Amino acid sequence: SLVFFSSQTSAWAPSSLFCMRKRTGVLLWKKQIDQAGWASYHFFAIQAVANGKVVTIARNSNGQRKLICLNVADGQQLWETPVNDLLKPTIKIFNDKVYCNGFTAFCYDLNTGSLLWQNNFGLPSASRYYECSSTLDQNKLYTVVPSATSSTQHAIKTINFTTGAIESSFNTLSGTYINSNSYQFSNQMVYAIS
């Protein structure tokens, strides 16, 4: 089995993605994935791997983010597509679809990088205050969406991976501040820390 990790992007050096053997630590390949620059200082990306492909988010020298896909076997780039700069550097892959979110949820085709759908869940603006948080559990995609009117309430939505439509939704308890990133899902149970 393999391990993937990236170095940070900084003002002095570009980021590279590394692929190593898990048992031996032997480096199989190293691929530069973005450019150095002040605008992209101390940026880390998290990788997702599926079906012989590794997908990650990188930044260019202007600080603009892009979603890139590499071949697991040799690190050759298969595609790249520009993405919103408020996108979080975390990625989920399911059924040949790449899902990532910030204030808006995006879904891309794993094989081509084409945008399949996006959904802003009715949030009022492209603000970091309204960032969503998502996870996969038992082949379902759950997104925690902050309320546009209350800092102490969220809605937990089940998302259709194919269309981006909301299949179900319920509100969390109000009155206690919980960061949208602190929700965890396991066996259809929801856990949160206030």
Side-chain angles (χ1 to χ4, degrees):
S1 56
L2 304 175
V3 176
F4 298 89
F5 62 94
S6 61
S7 57
Q8 74 176 10
T9 298
S10 72
W12 305 278
S15 176
S16 291
L17 182 64
F18 300 84
C19 175
M20 301 178 74
R21 292 207 180 277
K22 185 176 183 178
R23 291 180 180 261
T24 64
V26 172
L27 179 66
L28 298 179
W29 52 261
K30 171 185 173 184
K31 177 78 173 181
Q32 181 178 323
I33 57 174
D34 62 10
Q35 305 294 319
W38 290 104
S40 50
Y41 184 67
H42 287 224
F43 174 77
F44 283 101
I46 300 171
Q47 299 79 43
V49 182
N51 300 336
K53 299 176 177 68
V54 55
V55 180
T56 191
I57 296 175
R59 297 182 90 166
N60 62 23
S61 58
N62 295 322
Q64 299 166 323
R65 296 189 186 189
K66 59 184 179 179
L67 193 67
I68 63 172
C69 179
L70 308 176
N71 188 317
V72 164
D74 56 14
Q76 290 302 305
Q77 184 169 311
L78 302 175
W79 53 260
E80 74 174 56
T81 187
V83 293
N84 189 285
D85 195 46
L86 293 180
L87 203 65
K88 292 181 179 179
T90 53
I91 299 164
K92 311 280 190 288
I93 299 177
F94 179 67
N95 282 354
D96 280 342
K97 293 178 176 62
V98 180
Y99 181 88
C100 40
N101 63 275
F103 69 91
T104 298
F106 297 90
C107 183
Y108 298 89
D109 187 292
L110 176 62
N111 298 306
T112 66
S114 300
L115 178 66
L116 300 176
W117 55 260
Q118 65 185 64
N119 190 334
N120 74 348
F121 306 112
L123 297 178
S125 65
S127 167
R128 291 181 188 274
Y129 175 77
Y130 295 109
E131 279 189 349
C132 306
S133 178
S134 301
T135 191
L136 285 169
D137 180 45
Q138 296 189 345
N139 296 334
K140 291 184 180 293
L141 179 68
Y142 296 94
T143 296
V144 179
V145 180
S147 168
T149 58
S150 170
S151 63
T152 62
Q153 189 169 32
H154 296 90
I156 297 177
K157 301 179 185 291
T158 307
I159 309 302
N160 183 302
F161 230 93
T162 303
T163 65
I166 298 169
E167 293 182 342
S168 64
S169 178
F170 66 91
N171 291 328
T172 61
L173 295 174
S174 62
T176 302
Y177 177 77
I178 301 175
N179 187 289
S180 63
N181 293 311
S182 70
Y183 288 89
Q184 297 296 319
F185 298 79
S186 179
N187 296 320
Q188 297 184 334
M189 298 291 289
V190 183
Y191 302 88
I193 300 173
S194 64

